Amino acid sequence: MSAAGRRHLVVEADGGSRGNPGPAGFGALVRDGETGQVLAERAAYLGVTTNNVAEYSGLVAGLRAAAEIDPDARVTVRMDSRLVVEQMSGRWQIKHDDMRRLAAEAASVLPAEQVAYEWVPRAQNSAADALANEAMDTAGTVARDYPPAAAPGAGDDEPDPAAADAPAEVPGESAAFDTPARPSGAAVRFDDAPALTVVLVRHGQTPLTVAGAFSGSSVPGPSLTARGRTQAAQAADLVFRVGRQAWPDLPRPTTIVASPMVRAQETARAVGRRLGVHVTTDDRFAEVDFGEWEGLTAAEVDAAWPGRLHTWHTTGTTAAPGGESYADVGARVWHGLQDLVDTLLPGAGPAGRTAVVVGHAVQVRAAIGTAIGAPPSQWSRVRVPPASVSILRLWPDGTSELTAQGVPSDL
């Protein structure tokens, strides 16, 4: 097969050690060269070794994953290690025995004429770096394979098999009051106005989630736990299925916006890697500011402010001392969502568009509560587990629909 006729895959690889040598790990992923979709992720803890050995190990793992997907593919390897790129391109000598062995192993995976190497700045290799750090943090391994998505737009214009059996319109009769076709259980509308589908994702588990302590927007951390990173990857899989195997009537996600908090950013990056979509940040989707309650458990809050926590939850308009109320959060979150509607829907087709918003428990409750017109006093009754997914549909005329809620089945 000619090079022009081969499938194009992109391998992004990285490795690192905390100390040189020190505890080390690698990360690699394979993308479809045309769509950017992530097809496979690999990472592993290596024990104590050098940074260069970790980088070469990531290269080997990435090439092997690409070969498993398509052994005839044309592969572009992108790494921020100039040493590995120059050595594998044959421009620099390899002097270290371990690296010589790993370079030979990498060269044996695919024929040399199928593989090209490109150096990229570190900022453009963040997905592989995150996988390497995940392996070092957990001292574990990652081996995730994802089914390829259908080509963009595939199936969108396919005829409805049921259309052949539909009764023909009677000449002369008006269709002005006909209800457009819609999925079973969807909100009733009498027009075909496009909607913005908003996939709300709560971040994965953090140490404060485990401790049952309040974790708001007044401090940037904490980060996800190892369990939280797994949950984030599982949530990313579920989001990827929106518009495909899950909720196939909805458009596929094309936009990701995240809270600025570290835990939300880490979860959003997992979703972004899975979708091949860049993550942007909006402060309006930050968690509630718990003020003086930050880092405290409910029992500790009750002891210091008797009855105040109950009032905060049940009125929805009482602010935490030095912080925010549910209603405060709802106002800023709703403004953020309306801006997404105003920005993303113009020019959209009848199906509309889908945006993913990665955030927090109270922020998700506020979005749902405002969308369905529930008073803030009722928002605390919405359960939002770590890494859960909730879906809203928002129309330009201000109407909205709560479509679904769920968590990955193995959480």
Side-chain angles (χ1 to χ4, degrees):
M1 181 185 297
S2 67
R6 286 181 173 141
R7 183 180 186 181
H8 182 209
L9 299 176
V10 174
V11 170
E12 298 173 14
D14 199 8
S17 62
R18 294 170 179 172
N20 198 18
F26 68 78
L29 61 150
V30 183
R31 296 186 189 273
D32 184 286
E34 302 301 321
T35 67
Q37 180 201 340
V38 177
L39 304 176
E41 292 179 318
R42 299 288 187 268
Y45 179 66
L46 296 172
V48 175
T49 190
T50 66
N51 184 68
N52 291 336
V53 167
E55 290 171 335
Y56 263 106
S57 298
L59 169 63
V60 171
L63 287 171
R64 285 177 174 168
E68 290 172 4
I69 294 168
D70 186 346
D72 295 318
R74 177 171 55 90
V75 176
T76 300
V77 175
R78 293 174 182 159
M79 300 181 69
D80 60 55
S81 170
R82 192 173 295 279
L83 176 74
V84 175
V85 168
E86 294 297 325
Q87 287 179 338
M88 290 303 299
S89 299
R91 292 185 288 269
W92 290 4
Q93 290 185 345
I94 305 174
K95 299 179 180 179
H96 193 281
D97 288 342
D98 285 341
M99 287 193 290
R100 190 179 295 117
R101 173 182 56 80
L102 287 166
E105 190 173 350
S108 69
V109 177
L110 290 167
E113 64 270 15
Q114 289 179 218
V115 184
Y117 291 86
E118 293 181 3
W119 177 85
V120 295
R122 184 176 182 81
Q124 295 180 24
N125 204 32
S126 59
D129 177 70
L131 285 168
N133 278 285
E134 179 179 346
M136 286 184 277
D137 289 344
T138 62
T141 61
V142 171
R144 305 179 188 123
D145 295 290
Y146 306 113
D156 293 349
D157 299 318
E158 291 177 1
D160 181 358
D165 299 325
E169 183 176 339
V170 178
E173 291 194 1
S174 171
F177 298 102
D178 287 350
T179 303
R182 60 187 177 88
S184 176
V188 175
R189 288 188 65 90
F190 296 91
D191 59 29
D192 58 356
L196 177 69
T197 298
V198 180
V199 181
L200 300 164
V201 180
R202 185 188 172 191
H203 62 79
Q205 181 194 84
T206 74
L208 291 182
T209 311
V210 177
F214 290 109
S215 180
S217 60
S218 59
V219 294
S223 295
L224 300 178
T225 62
R227 175 63 173 152
R229 284 187 289 274
T230 299
Q231 290 175 329
Q234 292 168 332
D237 287 347
L238 180 55
V239 173
F240 178 79
R241 295 199 294 272
V242 172
R244 296 179 172 89
Q245 300 94 330
W247 305 289
D249 58 292
L250 301 178
R252 297 171 185 174
T254 56
T255 300
I256 304 175
V257 185
S259 154
M261 319 328 296
V262 172
R263 53 199 180 275
Q265 291 285 317
E266 291 173 338
T267 303
R269 285 197 292 269
V271 178
R273 289 197 303 270
R274 187 68 178 90
L275 298 179
V277 174
H278 177 67
V279 177
T280 60
T281 301
D282 191 325
D283 291 350
R284 291 173 294 185
F285 298 128
E287 179 60 303
V288 63
D289 186 345
F290 285 111
E292 296 177 41
W293 296 348
E294 179 67 32
L296 302 179
T297 65
E300 290 169 335
V301 169
D302 270 335
W305 293 269
R308 184 73 175 269
L309 183 58
H310 179 267
T311 303
W312 183 77
H313 277 299
T314 56
T315 68
T317 54
T318 301
E324 293 180 299
S325 68
Y326 272 96
D328 293 332
V329 178
R332 60 174 165 81
V333 167
W334 194 247
H335 286 150
L337 293 176
Q338 290 304 304
D339 278 355
L340 289 177
V341 171
D342 295 341
T343 302
L344 298 178
L345 276 187
R353 290 197 170 100
T354 295
V356 181
V357 175
V358 182
H360 312 266
V362 175
Q363 173 254 316
V364 171
R365 287 172 178 159
I368 293 173
T370 305
I372 65 175
S377 60
Q378 302 299 307
W379 295 355
S380 64
R381 300 174 65 180
V382 178
R383 185 182 181 190
V384 187
S388 59
V389 171
S390 306
I391 301 178
L392 299 175
R393 302 205 80 202
L394 309 177
W395 280 265
D397 62 6
T399 58
S400 55
E401 166 190 278
L402 174 61
T403 295
Q405 288 184 280
V407 295
S409 59
D410 52 346
L411 289 181

